[in-house]
Amino acid sequence: MDPSESQESEVEPVIRRESFAALRRNHVAPRQLRVVTLNAWCLPQPWPIGSTDRLHRLEKIGQYMKEETYDIVGLQELWSYQDYVRLTEQVSTEYPYYHYFHSGFTGSGVCVFSRHPIVSTLTSRYSLNGFAHHIHRGDWFGGKVVGLTEIELDGDLRVNFYTTHLHAEYDRENDLYLPHRTAQSFELAQFVRHTARGADVVIVTGDLNMEPCDLGFRLILSHTKLFDAWRMSHEVESDEGDGELLKYRGIAKGGTCDRPDNCYSKKALRSVDDSKRIDYILFKSGRCNVKLEECEITMNQIPGEELNYSDHVALRARFTIDDRFRHEKSVNTWEPNRPLLIEAIGIVAGGERRARADRIFFFILAAACLVLILGSLFFEVFPMGFAVFRFVLTVIGVFFVWQGLIGLTLERKALKAAKQAIQQILNN
């Protein structure tokens, strides 16, 4: 083949793409897009398990949504479907399009409200969501997901709007759920990569339960090439993930949780500003270019009251969608992907080892229950009491066997699948 012909065949697709971009510049006028995300903290269970002032705060959240002119609203921790229905009835005039992502036993708590048509939705449930026997945590029962709504803006633009809620941290010094949250971060990044290719605009929102220096968050940015809206809008120190948390914490650094000015923060947190930035709006251009105009904290204290909308604050952002400019230089410099993936494999592999050890532990507990049941058969005193005792031990023992045989096997396989998926990317 003639070399000149080969060069022509390589250049032709580029010319076609440039012509397509020029065509869009002639027909697509700049337009604004306003989005907001909030962890609403609406646990419907009775006090002290449930959320304080839930119904009142939910009404105020709806009132705020009606008064503002957001295009898309993403909410998390709206656990009760009845609460979701109540909110849709309150805001349906302003937000005629909405969707709830069903999952788990209680529901994922994740939903979207939009002023523009939702043309399709897709739900991806994370393969790891904590542990069934950690009832005091509840993450397993929620069935955490990443939800995608494809929204049609002004009839000719498609916005891929994602909202999600990852597993909580609880104890940073002894984070039992770190392998699960790391696997969730990788699954979220993969889901966005594979579903965002045909979108005009890509926006990811939600409570990631990770701070900017955490591996999972850095992996999401690096793997998807998303921009952190807050970081782009505010002058901050370089986020190199060196573990110096004080660099990232505090209201001035965009803290969205455990804020000293929030009435629902624990008393110990109100005397010092150790607030954490764990709620995010991430974005990138698709077939259209997206420029971030502003990103700010909102929905802190309810106007005229001493209550807050939630134990988190909301994050809002305003974008301009246009094809007539390119991205300005950003403070978001993505880390090399490979070292992050290697570190993630180490964490996931550690979770696998812990699951194997837990399996032996649960079998030992099941055997102990069996010994106690058999031993109780030799005592004739208080027959009714011993019958109840044996029944309780049987139920507990059956759970130990189920967790050892099934629960931990499922966890190990999910961790192994995440490790192999990461390894496949590294091999390529």
Side-chain angles (χ1 to χ4, degrees):
M1 179 185 293
D2 186 82
S4 62
E5 292 180 3
S6 176
Q7 289 179 356
E8 276 189 53
S9 63
E10 292 177 1
V11 171
E12 186 180 2
V14 177
I15 295 174
R16 286 178 179 172
R17 284 196 294 270
E18 290 177 350
S19 300
F20 177 73
L23 185 64
R24 291 188 69 93
R25 284 196 293 270
N26 292 333
H27 291 84
V28 178
R31 65 202 74 189
Q32 299 287 301
L33 179 68
R34 298 186 71 224
V35 302
V36 65
T37 180
L38 172 70
N39 180 322
W41 188 51
C42 286
L43 294 164
Q45 288 77 18
W47 187 90
I49 301 175
S51 302
T52 309
D53 308 312
R54 182 184 102 256
L55 293 178
H56 176 70
R57 292 187 296 101
L58 187 63
E59 181 182 358
K60 292 299 181 179
I61 289 172
Q63 183 177 328
Y64 174 88
M65 290 170 59
K66 293 178 68 172
E67 292 172 354
E68 294 294 325
T69 56
Y70 294 109
D71 295 283
I72 313 172
V73 178
L75 297 179
Q76 304 88 47
E77 287 203 17
L78 203 62
W79 298 113
S80 168
Y81 187 71
Q82 285 68 35
D83 285 350
Y84 165 75
V85 171
R86 188 180 294 112
L87 187 58
T88 59
E89 293 172 349
Q90 183 180 356
V91 303
S92 59
T93 302
E94 292 77 12
Y95 300 89
Y97 308 99
Y98 34 81
H99 184 79
Y100 187 90
F101 295 94
H102 292 278
S103 179
F105 179 77
T106 61
S108 71
V110 172
C111 56
V112 172
F113 295 82
S114 174
R115 293 181 183 270
H116 309 278
I118 297 175
V119 297
S120 69
T121 63
L122 185 61
T123 307
S124 178
R125 181 174 175 175
Y126 297 117
S127 57
L128 292 160
N129 280 296
F131 307 102
H133 59 289
H134 289 192
I135 301 174
H136 59 301
R137 301 303 188 195
D139 295 77
W140 184 86
F141 296 93
K144 300 291 181 67
V145 305
V146 50
L148 161 63
T149 50
E150 188 180 20
I151 296 172
E152 188 177 77
L153 187 64
D154 297 338
D156 63 346
L157 287 180
R158 293 296 175 93
V159 178
N160 273 23
F161 185 86
Y162 303 81
T163 187
T164 189
H165 187 195
L166 271 58
H167 200 295
E169 184 178 68
Y170 297 115
D171 184 358
R172 192 173 186 91
E173 299 303 320
N174 183 28
D175 191 358
L176 180 63
Y177 311 101
L178 179 60
H180 288 211
R181 196 164 51 256
T182 302
Q184 287 179 342
S185 300
F186 177 71
E187 290 179 11
L188 170 61
Q190 285 286 80
F191 183 72
V192 172
R193 282 186 68 206
H194 288 290
T195 58
R197 289 170 180 168
D200 292 308
V201 180
V202 178
I203 298 176
V204 180
T205 67
D207 177 4
L208 302 185
N209 275 309
M210 294 181 291
E211 299 181 61
C213 61
D214 290 341
L215 169 67
F217 179 70
R218 291 152 52 209
L219 178 61
I220 291 170
L221 293 185
S222 175
H223 202 53
T224 60
K225 298 298 182 284
L226 286 163
F227 294 93
D228 180 355
W230 174 269
R231 187 178 174 193
M232 285 189 68
S233 296
H234 298 81
E235 198 171 315
V236 296
E237 298 180 52
S238 175
D239 295 356
E240 298 297 337
D242 56 7
E244 298 176 13
L245 289 180
L246 294 178
K247 183 189 298 183
Y248 311 106
R249 289 189 172 181
I251 291 177
K253 301 297 173 65
T256 60
C257 182
D258 295 337
R259 292 168 60 103
D261 58 354
N262 191 296
C263 68
Y264 300 114
S265 296
K266 296 177 182 178
K267 289 184 179 180
L269 298 172
R270 296 181 200 170
S271 58
V272 58
D273 184 6
D274 198 26
S275 54
K276 299 179 289 187
R277 183 161 78 95
I278 60 176
D279 301 86
Y280 298 90
I281 296 177
L282 313 176
F283 74 99
K284 68 176 180 179
S285 298
R287 295 186 299 180
C288 283
N289 286 330
V290 181
K291 180 182 180 183
L292 176 68
E293 301 294 347
E294 64 173 355
C295 180
E296 299 294 342
I297 296 296
T298 187
M299 295 182 74
N300 188 5
Q301 192 171 39
I302 299 174
E305 301 185 22
E306 295 183 356
L307 301 177
N308 295 82
Y309 286 100
S310 171
D311 62 343
H312 289 232
V313 294
L315 194 64
R316 62 176 172 85
R318 179 169 59 88
F319 303 95
T320 296
I321 304 172
D322 196 349
D323 258 329
R324 293 175 295 183
F325 57 79
R326 294 295 172 188
H327 274 306
E328 298 175 358
K329 187 177 180 180
S330 167
V331 294
N332 274 277
T333 54
W334 299 294
E335 296 179 63
N337 205 26
R338 190 174 182 83
L340 298 177
L341 291 172
I342 292 173
E343 188 177 350
I345 282 184
I347 292 174
V348 172
E352 248 190 306
R353 291 191 295 272
R354 192 264 313 145
R356 282 195 293 269
D358 281 358
R359 190 175 191 179
I360 297 172
F361 175 69
F362 275 99
F363 283 150
I364 292 173
L365 290 177
C369 288
L370 179 60
V371 170
L372 289 173
I373 291 171
L374 294 176
S376 69
L377 295 175
F378 295 97
F379 293 90
E380 297 297 332
V381 293
F382 305 117
M384 182 59 70
F386 274 99
V388 173
F389 175 71
R390 284 191 291 269
F391 174 77
V392 172
L393 279 179
T394 300
V395 172
I396 295 174
V398 168
F399 171 76
F400 288 155
V401 172
W402 178 90
Q403 179 67 2
L405 283 177
I406 300 176
L408 286 167
T409 299
L410 294 175
E411 183 191 5
R412 283 178 58 203
K413 287 185 179 296
L415 288 166
K416 183 178 293 185
K419 186 174 69 174
Q420 289 180 344
I422 297 173
Q423 189 65 59
Q424 188 66 49
I425 294 175
L426 288 173
N427 291 341
N428 291 331

